[in-house]
Amino acid sequence: MYVVKSPLSDADLKIVSEALQGALVDLLDLSLVAKQVHWNVIGPRFRSIHLQLDEVVDSARLHSDTVAERSSALGVPPDGRAATVAQGSGIGAVPQGWVKDTDAVGTLVSALGAVIVRMRERVEATAQPDPVSQDIFIGITADLEKHHWMFQAENG
C-alpha cells in the first residue's frame, strides 16, 4: 500500500497535523452553523443576511478543502466525520428554529470570533515547523476576519 511521506520531522508533523485537523473541524462546523442560520433567519434584513451567510458557507467549505488537502499532502488523513466535528469544534451552540436577523448576526459574530482565535493560535504554532501550512492559516484568518468585520458592522 502506498503511504504518503511527509518532508517534516515527526515532532513537527505532530504539531502541524493537529493544527490542520483542528482547523478542518472548525471550518466544517462554521459552514454548518452558517447554513443552519441561513435556512432559519427571519426579519427585515432577511435577504441581505441570508445571502451574506452563503458567502461564509462558501468560504468555509473552500478553506476546509484546502486544509484537508494540505493534511493529505503531508501524509496525514484528514477527519471530517460528523462525530469528529461535533466533538472538536470551538464554536458554541446555535439556536434552534427561527432566528431573528439581529440574533443571526450575533451568532455569526460569535462563531467567526471563536474560529479566528483558534486560527491565530495555529498561525503561531506552525510558524517554525511548517511555514507552508502557516501561510494557509494566515490566508484563511484574513478571509474570516473580513467576514467577521462585515457581520459586526451589520449590528453596529
Side-chain angles (χ1 to χ4, degrees), residues 15-31 59-61 63-68 70-71 78-80 85 88-91 115-116 118-123 126 133 136-138 140-141 144:
I15 293 166
V16 174
S17 65
E18 287 174 2
L20 289 164
Q21 180 59 40
L24 177 61
V25 164
D26 283 347
L27 290 164
L28 290 172
D29 199 27
L30 180 61
S31 73
S59 283
R61 287 178 179 169
H63 294 314
S64 66
D65 193 51
T66 299
V67 165
R70 178 67 183 156
S71 185
D79 186 354
V85 173
S89 176
I91 300 174
V115 174
I116 289 166
R118 289 166 53 119
M119 283 297 175
R120 285 186 161 273
E121 291 169 356
R122 293 174 186 120
V123 167
T126 56
S133 293
I136 291 169
F137 292 134
I138 290 169
I140 292 169
T141 303
L144 295 178

Side-chain angles (χ1 to χ4, degrees), residues 31-99:
S31 73
L32 294 170
V33 165
K35 195 49 114 169
Q36 178 67 25
V37 176
H38 166 89
W39 292 324
N40 290 290
V41 65
I42 57 170
R45 297 181 299 158
F46 161 80
R47 180 159 172 73
S48 64
I49 293 170
H50 182 79
L51 296 173
Q52 190 176 356
L53 287 161
D54 263 345
E55 292 173 7
V56 173
V57 171
D58 292 344
S59 283
R61 287 178 179 169
L62 177 68
H63 294 314
S64 66
D65 193 51
T66 299
V67 165
E69 288 180 358
R70 178 67 183 156
S71 185
S72 293
L74 293 176
V76 179
D79 186 354
R81 297 173 299 161
T84 303
V85 173
Q87 182 181 12
S89 176
I91 300 174
V94 177
Q96 183 178 6
W98 303 120
V99 182

